[in-house]
Amino acid sequence: MSQPTNTTDEPRGLPRRSVEILVALTLIALAGVVLYDSHGRGAGWDGGPQNGFFPARVGWIFLAAAVFVLWQSFRTESGIFVTYGQLGQVARVLGPLVLFVALIGPLGLYVAAAIFIVAFMGVVGGSRWWSILLTAVIVPIACFWIFELQFRVPLPKGPLEAALGY
Amino acid sequence: MDDFSSLLAGFQIALSWHNIGFMALGVILGIVVGVLPGLGGPNGVAILLPLTFGMDPTSAIILLSSIYWGALFGGAITSILFNIPGEAWSVATTFDGYPMAIRGHAAEALTAAFTASFIGALSGVVLITFVAPLVASFALRFGPAEFFAVFLLTFCSFVGMGRDNRAKIITSLCIGFLLAAVGLDSISGDLRMTFGSTELMRGFDFLVVVIGLFGIGEILLTAEEGLVFKGKHAKIDLKVVLKTWASLPRYWLTLVRSCVVGMWMGVTPGGAIAASFMGYGLAKRFSKRGAHFGKGEIEGVLAPETAAHAAGTSALLPMLALGIPGSATAAVLLGGLLVWGLQPGPMLFVEQKDFVWGLIASMYLGNLAGLIIVLATVPLFAAVMRIPFSFVAPVILIVCAIGAYTISNSVFDIWVMLGFGILGYIFKKLDYPLAPLVLALVLGDRAEDAFRQALLGSAGSLDVFWANGLVSGLVIVALVLLLWGPITDAIAALGRRNESAKAAKAAE
Amino acid sequence: MKMHWLAVPFVTAALASAAPALAWEPTKPIEIVVPFSAGGASDQMARTIQGIIQKHQLTTQPIIVINKPAAGGAEGMLDIQKSAGDPHKLITTSSGIFMTPMATKLPLNWTDYTPVAMMAQDSFVLWVNAKSPHKTAGDFMEAAKKASPPLKIGGTSSKREDNLIVFAMEKQIGAKFAYIPYTSGGQASTQLSGGHVEANTNNPAEDLANWRGGATRPICVFADQPMVYRDKVTENASWADIPTCTSQGLNVSYQMLRGMFMPGKVTKDQQAFYVNMFKKVSETQEWKDYLARNALVGDYRDGEAFVSFLKADEEKHARLMSEAGFMAK
């Protein structure tokens, strides 16, 4: 999907090699955490494997593989991981999504969903304001009807639902 | 032939008008439940269970098992259209189903998936009908060592085939294993890798990770390419169904192989999830078009769906015959049987003939009803792809969040899903394969448990994996599959050398 | 009960608004949290109670059963701990309410919850494969002393009830067993009938199916008194026919409570509502049938009787767990 040949208007972007190295380093750090935890709990063989035995073995292989990936990333040709234009597009989806998840705690899922729809459709653009509002009202109500009333699956609720007696 | 007349009597019971009504209602509810990731089959069955207490047990189990069939069918829909597996066993369906949808073949992929499900389920029911007692006693031969060998076989049939970056395959596999290890270790009863966090104590749920990696990750990739759905020009009419059917006989070998794999995994409780991966892995290895798998090959949809459903259906057999549920939904059904005063187990076939054969007959009819109903909805679901991205994407994301939340009623899981969404996006762009991660996550801890249970019993001696014909056979087949690539290469190389030797001789 | 399921929420909403007479009534659906997976013994009990409450209309609100099985039930217990003050939540409990915190060092204690009622006690039975040569606990113990590698005994989970019983048996006879933890009693039963373990310590209900099918056979019950149910379960035996282990020279007895708790910080009226409801449940014929079917010991307690039972039981478990070395360090 990331075609470095696609050099039309926006050749500027994050270099693939930097991202590759960053990911490999993160994985190496994770492997370190795993090994620390497993060896701390006992990774030996005591009449059968101890509870850290497998995670520790997997952790060592993981570490080796991640180091190899890191080494590889220096040897391969670097292209563009994602152009800044594309990154902007992704941020337009990711931004409202993070906001949505953050709001679920304080406001409950339904209100957060309504705000998310307004934010998302507003940011992405291409819709008229009344269709945005309509979607923002109908979708949470439909979800409420299906999950809360019909299937009795309790979802996180906030002050609005409490005021309405749910 | 006593069984055959019992089956006919069963059909008479199942074919009464009100039972057919329950069947249709159950299938439709099941599809709804299967499409929304927040409502799995177990949920749907559990919610309706109390309402069936007043009904006679046969009608009740027909209604509930129809929900199960409907949910099985429904799981494939979101996998193909949005790359979001509605159920754990439809993960492998996304590998080729979603690329087909992108290329504008959503209707073909859906038809293939539904038909394959039907074929798989049918083979499972036939198995239950004719060889139930035999198979049940075979299942009893599986102790911890044999279970471990089955999981090993699944891994080996799936991994070790790719031409992807090997280091990245291994990395991905390791991440899966490590994620599976987080939480309570059932053998020692201790917590692992939780670092004092009560949220991590629960471990990483398979569906939360998968919804993130596949569903959210895919939406981010889509967004990158311009905030429109790919493949929105799907052709949608019922003729596609017939055309797809006409192409199916060509893949008979894949279908048969997946049926066998599925039935086997369902009975030996390896389960539908393992079966779907194994079916896909084997099809990829042995198909002539194996190299094209992952780019939208119809065989890549048929293989996992057939295997998953053959397994899902066969898994009801241990439940009926032995009283062990093969899946979460089966567990809830089992609870239902007990409430109606029916005790699952070896005596059920003897004491409750009417009930058992009514249920078996309803499996045939329920699946047929399910197939007709889902096929009728193909154009409807394919049309979803025509709705603009800015409307559908937020709805999908909300439903994903609900799905992640409901698995254990935790907002933390929604964050986990989001995290894995970003990880999925990055990994996909860096060519880390996601399938090994998912497979290791779902089977890793079970394989480890079985391994350690086996060693506890043998006082730490590894000989237990060579102790009898069954377990050594499984281990050998697993190793052969793992080394299949090198073996065929070696044979080919040997052949070439002979050729060139002959050629050299001829030249002399 | 005969109502259409789509109609239930609307009708119950109407009823709820029409009847505010008693001291406290639930105003929302009631969740019963089961800290075990669907299909297990606790789950079956919760779903049976759910059915009874709805059938006898003991409350106007619907009952929802939610499974939170992760981390040996700690997930469900933590959830209830976090919901302090919420009168629409209940949790089914077993001895796990003491044992899980002890084995994992999680910050959980039953005194953070509001005890509602104890519904029953569950027995444990020593089961062997039907083809096993051992007829009495004495035979089995003799074989265990000679066995090398040690005899295999299956059970549910590690550092839990079954593990404690096996430990107590080891202490009695001075021989080792290989305890193999499975994820459920059903699995332990199947593994026994397949001959992969020599015995298991399942609850009566968990091995009932295989006993009736002639695949497994009970040796003795870990209790001071035999069970009371005299109706034939198999062709020629009833639960009451199983001798106690004590009478066969194996001096181990252990029973497990099955009860209901609410979150902490609820009002007296709210607690009284549920005590009253479960008392009614325990008096129904369906409940008695359920007890008999699963060979549970009917032992309903609430109020002070329940609390003093819990205190004694907690002390007993603390002692057993530290003797066995199962306490988290």
Side-chain angles (χ1 to χ4, degrees):
Chain A
M1 249 150 250
S2 53
Q3 303 293 342
T5 47
N6 188 15
T7 46
T8 44
D9 304 332
E10 289 179 291
R12 280 164 46 76
L14 286 178
R16 185 180 162 109
R17 181 176 291 161
S18 319
V19 181
E20 190 91 73
I21 291 169
L22 193 69
V23 169
L25 288 176
T26 315
L27 295 179
I28 290 170
L30 273 178
V33 172
V34 168
L35 288 172
Y36 165 77
D37 179 76
S38 306
H39 284 287
R41 267 180 301 97
W45 190 281
D46 178 22
Q50 286 179 311
N51 72 16
F53 183 84
F54 281 98
R57 297 304 175 282
V58 174
W60 284 113
I61 299 172
F62 182 40
L63 184 63
V67 170
F68 188 76
V69 170
L70 182 67
W71 178 69
Q72 252 182 351
S73 63
F74 287 109
R75 292 183 62 228
T76 48
E77 205 180 312
S78 181
I80 294 208
F81 177 73
V82 56
T83 66
Y84 291 124
Q86 287 174 332
L87 203 61
Q89 301 270 51
V90 174
R92 279 156 77 189
V93 175
L94 206 52
L97 187 59
V98 172
L99 178 76
F100 167 52
V101 182
L103 287 179
I104 290 176
L107 295 182
L109 188 133
Y110 301 106
V111 177
I115 295 172
F116 170 58
I117 291 171
V118 171
F120 184 94
M121 293 176 77
V123 169
V124 169
S127 312
R128 292 167 197 281
W129 66 268
W130 53 264
S131 71
I132 296 179
L133 279 187
L134 210 60
T135 317
V137 171
I138 290 175
V139 171
I141 289 180
C143 285
F144 188 82
W145 185 77
I146 295 176
F147 288 94
E148 213 79 32
L149 297 181
Q150 298 310 323
F151 285 95
R152 307 227 161 268
V153 178
L155 297 179
K157 286 178 282 283
L160 179 67
E161 290 87 351
L164 293 173
Y166 282 97
Chain B
M1 272 305 87
D2 184 32
D3 286 355
F4 192 67
S5 58
S6 308
L7 180 62
L8 285 183
F11 270 113
Q12 279 172 355
I13 297 168
L15 271 176
S16 72
W17 278 113
H18 73 277
N19 282 344
I20 291 180
F22 282 133
M23 226 177 272
L25 180 72
V27 168
I28 292 168
L29 278 173
I31 295 171
V32 172
V33 156
V35 165
L36 297 172
L39 306 163
N43 229 321
V45 174
I47 290 154
L48 290 189
L49 191 58
L51 292 158
T52 59
F53 291 161
M55 297 159 54
D56 80 285
T58 313
S59 299
I61 198 91
I62 287 175
L63 175 65
L64 294 177
S65 61
S66 296
I67 295 177
Y68 185 61
W69 309 130
L72 279 169
F73 280 116
I77 295 171
T78 44
S79 305
I80 290 171
L81 295 184
F82 307 117
N83 207 28
I84 302 166
E87 300 282 355
W89 52 75
S90 28
V91 173
T93 311
T94 62
F95 299 161
D96 277 280
Y98 182 68
M100 278 184 79
I102 290 179
R103 290 190 3 224
H105 298 303
E108 283 92 331
L110 286 171
T111 309
F114 294 148
T115 315
S117 310
F118 177 71
I119 295 171
L122 197 65
S123 65
V125 189
V126 170
L127 181 82
I128 292 181
T129 315
F130 294 104
V131 286
L134 193 78
V135 169
S137 64
F138 177 67
L140 284 180
R141 293 181 55 191
F142 279 72
E146 288 80 5
F147 277 123
F148 174 73
V150 168
F151 294 133
L152 185 70
L153 184 61
T154 312
F155 280 116
C156 291
S157 66
F158 193 78
V159 185
M161 59 187 179
R163 280 165 201 78
D164 303 325
N165 185 328
R166 294 252 155 76
K168 284 181 174 172
I169 296 178
I170 294 171
T171 312
S172 171
L173 202 58
C174 289
I175 296 176
F177 275 120
L178 293 171
L179 287 174
V182 175
L184 190 86
D185 166 36
S186 66
I187 302 295
S188 67
D190 297 329
L191 294 170
R192 296 197 293 199
M193 289 189 269
T194 57
F195 307 102
S197 150
T198 51
E199 299 284 4
L200 284 180
M201 183 189 76
R202 214 169 34 236
F204 288 93
D205 187 274
F206 175 74
L207 271 179
V208 173
V209 172
V210 162
I211 292 173
L213 280 180
F214 289 82
I216 309 288
E218 191 55 41
I219 287 198
L220 295 179
L221 280 172
T222 310
E224 181 183 90
E225 288 172 15
L227 303 175
V228 285
F229 268 126
K230 308 165 193 170
K232 74 176 183 185
H233 301 296
K235 199 169 53 177
I236 39 166
D237 61 76
L238 276 172
K239 257 188 241 152
V240 177
V241 173
L242 298 174
K243 265 194 213 146
T244 311
W245 276 358
S247 73
L248 288 186
R250 218 178 304 159
Y251 306 111
W252 66 274
L253 188 61
T254 300
L255 292 173
V256 170
R257 192 192 306 116
S258 284
C259 281
V260 173
V261 166
M263 290 191 285
W264 199 71
M265 294 299 261
V267 171
T268 62
I273 307 170
S276 65
F277 279 98
M278 203 161 150
Y280 185 85
L282 291 177
K284 180 167 179 172
R285 183 153 320 166
F286 294 113
S287 164
K288 280 188 215 100
R289 299 181 54 82
H292 299 273
F293 271 49
K295 294 175 195 144
E297 201 57 39
I298 196 165
E299 231 176 320
V301 176
L302 293 172
E305 280 288 312
T306 312
H309 289 239
T313 313
S314 315
L316 287 176
L317 178 66
M319 177 187 100
L320 290 171
L322 304 172
I324 6 163
S327 69
T329 314
V332 180
L333 282 178
L334 186 72
L337 290 181
L338 292 163
V339 171
W340 299 309
L342 300 170
Q343 181 76 49
M347 299 306 282
L348 190 67
F349 279 86
V350 182
E351 290 174 353
Q352 302 285 349
K353 267 197 143 135
D354 281 1
F355 171 80
V356 171
W357 291 106
L359 172 61
I360 291 177
S362 83
M363 290 180 182
Y364 285 99
L365 298 170
N367 269 298
L368 191 62
L371 180 68
I372 295 168
I373 292 171
V374 284
L375 282 179
T377 60
V378 166
L380 182 75
F381 283 111
V384 171
M385 302 291 274
R386 293 193 165 174
I387 304 173
F389 180 81
S390 61
F391 283 92
V392 176
V395 176
I396 294 175
L397 290 169
I398 290 169
V399 170
C400 282
I402 292 176
Y405 174 82
T406 47
I407 287 161
S408 47
N409 294 303
S410 156
V411 176
F412 178 75
D413 279 352
I414 308 182
W415 286 109
V416 172
M417 172 196 83
L418 194 57
F420 276 99
I422 296 169
L423 187 78
Y425 168 74
I426 296 173
F427 269 26
K428 197 117 191 233
K429 297 210 69 166
L430 290 181
D431 301 321
Y432 282 86
L434 296 180
L437 191 163
V438 171
L439 182 66
L441 174 60
V442 68
L443 293 183
D445 54 342
R446 289 167 69 190
E448 189 196 335
D449 282 358
F451 185 78
R452 288 165 67 191
Q453 281 167 349
L455 287 180
L456 280 174
S458 71
S461 157
L462 284 170
D463 293 348
V464 67
F465 299 108
W466 274 265
N468 60 52
L470 181 60
V471 66
S472 20
L474 286 169
V475 171
I476 290 168
V477 175
L479 294 180
V480 168
L481 280 173
L482 183 68
L483 303 172
W484 185 258
I487 290 173
T488 46
D489 286 356
I491 292 169
L494 217 64
R496 266 201 304 281
R497 193 188 298 163
N498 284 346
E499 291 284 295
S500 58
K502 269 183 207 154
K505 259 185 192 160
E508 271 172 16
Chain C
M1 266 316 295
K2 293 278 176 193
M3 243 182 307
H4 187 260
W5 65 286
L6 288 169
V8 173
F10 305 106
V11 179
T12 46
L15 283 176
S17 53
L22 285 164
W24 185 82
E25 283 269 321
T27 53
K28 300 198 299 191
I30 301 160
E31 284 173 28
I32 301 182
V33 174
V34 177
F36 293 95
S37 50
S42 289
D43 182 62
Q44 283 173 30
M45 181 177 91
R47 292 188 195 278
T48 307
I49 290 176
Q50 174 194 30
I52 293 173
I53 292 174
Q54 294 187 343
K55 188 168 174 187
H56 292 268
Q57 292 175 0
L58 299 179
T59 170
T60 50
Q61 292 293 334
I63 312 276
I64 304 165
V65 176
I66 295 178
N67 300 90
K68 293 203 166 200
E75 181 195 4
M77 291 183 224
L78 284 167
D79 177 64
I80 294 294
Q81 195 177 37
K82 271 191 287 183
S83 321
D86 182 347
H88 294 98
K89 279 196 172 178
L90 294 162
I91 183 166
T92 67
T93 48
S94 63
S95 313
I97 200 165
F98 313 121
M99 300 170 87
T100 301
M102 288 175 191
T104 57
K105 236 182 163 184
L106 286 167
L108 286 167
N109 194 303
W110 66 271
T111 48
D112 297 339
Y113 308 141
T114 311
V116 179
M118 176 156 120
M119 301 304 291
Q121 291 208 59
D122 212 341
S123 313
F124 289 81
V125 174
L126 182 64
W127 300 87
V128 292
N129 190 295
K131 295 193 198 80
S132 164
H134 316 304
K135 299 283 178 221
T136 65
D139 294 353
F140 187 74
M141 290 297 139
E142 278 312 309
K145 281 180 196 161
K146 291 187 200 122
S148 172
L151 289 187
K152 289 174 269 184
I153 301 191
T156 311
S157 312
S158 194
K159 298 182 184 171
R160 296 295 290 265
E161 297 84 357
D162 295 308
N163 207 169
L164 268 187
I165 292 175
V166 173
F167 174 79
M169 284 165 68
E170 286 177 343
K171 214 173 72 171
Q172 264 268 300
I173 60 163
K176 276 275 166 204
F177 290 106
Y179 175 75
I180 303 187
Y182 292 104
T183 47
S184 70
Q187 215 191 359
S189 173
T190 313
Q191 292 284 312
L192 178 63
S193 64
H196 303 287
V197 288
E198 269 84 25
N200 74 34
T201 51
N202 269 344
N203 299 124
E206 291 169 336
D207 244 282
L208 174 60
N210 275 322
W211 184 24
R212 298 188 61 211
T216 62
R217 172 161 59 79
I219 283 197
C220 62
V221 55
F222 295 102
D224 301 326
Q225 300 291 326
M227 286 182 265
V228 293
Y229 302 102
R230 305 209 153 271
D231 290 340
K232 289 271 177 277
V233 184
T234 65
E235 271 169 40
N236 44 25
S238 72
W239 289 115
D241 295 336
I242 304 174
T244 62
C245 293
T246 329
S247 75
Q248 300 197 336
L250 175 60
N251 214 348
V252 177
S253 70
Y254 184 83
Q255 286 191 327
M256 172 171 78
L257 82 111
R258 292 205 178 277
M260 282 285 177
F261 280 74
M262 291 176 76
K265 300 196 178 72
V266 294
T267 67
K268 282 263 172 278
D269 286 344
Q270 289 162 346
Q271 186 188 3
F273 170 83
Y274 289 106
V275 170
N276 185 31
M277 183 168 86
F278 285 113
K279 189 155 185 61
K280 283 183 192 154
V281 169
S282 74
E283 285 158 2
T284 59
Q285 188 55 43
E286 287 90 347
W287 180 253
K288 286 174 186 150
D289 291 346
Y290 168 77
L291 290 180
R293 199 164 60 233
N294 292 291
L296 290 166
V297 181
D299 186 2
Y300 177 85
R301 296 172 196 231
D302 56 30
E304 204 40 51
F306 186 27
V307 173
S308 54
F309 177 90
L310 286 168
K311 280 182 183 151
D313 213 32
E314 186 186 25
E315 270 171 34
K316 185 177 105 187
H317 280 95
R319 201 183 66 239
L320 291 171
M321 293 284 282
S322 53
E323 275 176 11
F326 292 168
M327 290 282 204
K329 281 150 212 116

